[in-house]
Amino acid sequence: MSRPMFEVIALTAQDARAAESGGADRLELVTDMAADGLTPTVQDFAAIRAAVSLPLRVMLRIRDGFTPGDLDLLLTRTAALRAEGADEFVFGFLTPDGAVDLDATRTVADAVTGCRWTFHRAIDHSTDRSEVRAAVADLPGLDTFLTSGAPAGVDAGREVLLGELAKSGNPGYRQQILVGGGLRAEHVPELRAAGFDAFHIGGAARTGGWAGAVDAARVAEWRELIGD
């Protein structure tokens, strides 16, 4: 059995080094967690890239919520990140009424052609998650859905997650499920036993919430819990 994927949110080079030291497999890079994570600056990406050897998935999101906002601005920032060496990303957009914004999502996917990417928790806030999956399933590079199964987190979304795992391999369900959003340590044994093999944490890796830095010891505890 392959090693389960363990992804940790990093805002700074200090976060990134601690997450790598604790045993993370990959980092999601963001800024401004007050807005649930926006696109980091090119300078922050470069500093983190220089600090660690882990794969980095960079958030492409310039406003709170899940509508794309100024798409031209987002594409400009995406191009600058790619020019700096970013080659994995996190994005996904909804319309104001909660349907998948396929045009915007496809436009950004085209802008990162050749890169792997995650459709983030916009799926948990959509009006029809099966519609989202079907619409974006064949976009090039999409290999992961980050989801808790429900807007309120894993506690509320457990049955949805289990139902989607059962459909693995079917059209719209071929991508890896990365469980994140309200994920707590007590969820992991049941989720691992059910067959989930990818986990994502943010605040749980820190002391003092988002005001504090990633703690390598906390990351190591999660690494042991998730398994090698």
Side-chain angles (χ1 to χ4, degrees):
M1 183 179 296
S2 62
R3 171 183 169 107
M5 164 61 67
F6 179 32
E7 181 179 89
V8 176
I9 294 175
L11 284 76
T12 65
Q14 178 185 354
D15 282 349
R17 285 189 291 266
E20 183 175 53
S21 175
D25 296 306
R26 189 171 72 203
L27 305 179
E28 179 187 273
L29 305 191
V30 304
T31 190
D32 195 357
M33 285 308 301
D36 289 329
L38 303 181
T39 301
T41 66
V42 171
Q43 292 77 13
D44 284 345
F45 167 78
I48 293 171
R49 175 70 290 163
V52 296
S53 60
L54 294 178
L56 309 177
R57 292 221 167 174
V58 184
M59 180 67 73
L60 299 178
R61 183 169 177 259
I62 59 172
R63 60 183 295 177
D64 198 355
F66 298 105
T67 57
D70 185 336
L71 198 52
D72 288 339
L73 175 59
L74 180 59
L75 293 173
T76 297
R77 293 186 179 177
T78 300
L81 286 160
R82 289 205 69 183
E84 189 62 36
D87 60 3
E88 298 187 37
F89 296 95
V90 183
F91 58 93
F93 305 104
L94 304 178
T95 64
D97 61 0
V100 61
D101 189 333
L102 184 57
D103 287 343
T105 304
R106 182 187 288 117
T107 296
V108 177
D110 288 345
V112 298
T113 296
C115 301
R116 291 175 292 175
W117 59 279
T118 298
F119 193 102
H120 61 51
R121 288 194 64 217
I123 190 172
D124 293 336
H125 296 264
S126 66
T127 53
D128 187 336
R129 52 192 297 128
S130 61
E131 178 186 72
V132 174
R133 282 180 167 274
V136 304
D138 294 326
L139 292 178
L142 174 63
D143 66 2
T144 304
F145 282 95
L146 170 60
T147 177
S148 63
V154 171
D155 278 337
R158 175 183 171 278
E159 293 303 320
V160 170
L161 290 172
L162 291 169
E164 293 189 342
L165 182 66
K167 297 178 183 178
S168 293
N170 294 336
Y173 296 86
R174 296 190 176 110
Q175 291 79 13
Q176 185 171 48
I177 297 173
L178 177 62
V179 181
L183 180 67
R184 300 194 305 274
E186 57 261 36
H187 295 134
V188 173
E190 179 186 11
L191 293 171
R192 287 289 293 127
F196 291 96
D197 61 0
F199 300 89
H200 164 103
I201 63 170
R206 299 168 183 273
T207 55
W210 287 108
V214 170
D215 184 301
R218 287 198 175 195
V219 175
E221 290 172 359
W222 276 84
R223 174 80 272 173
E224 182 176 4
L225 181 64
I226 290 167
D228 290 316

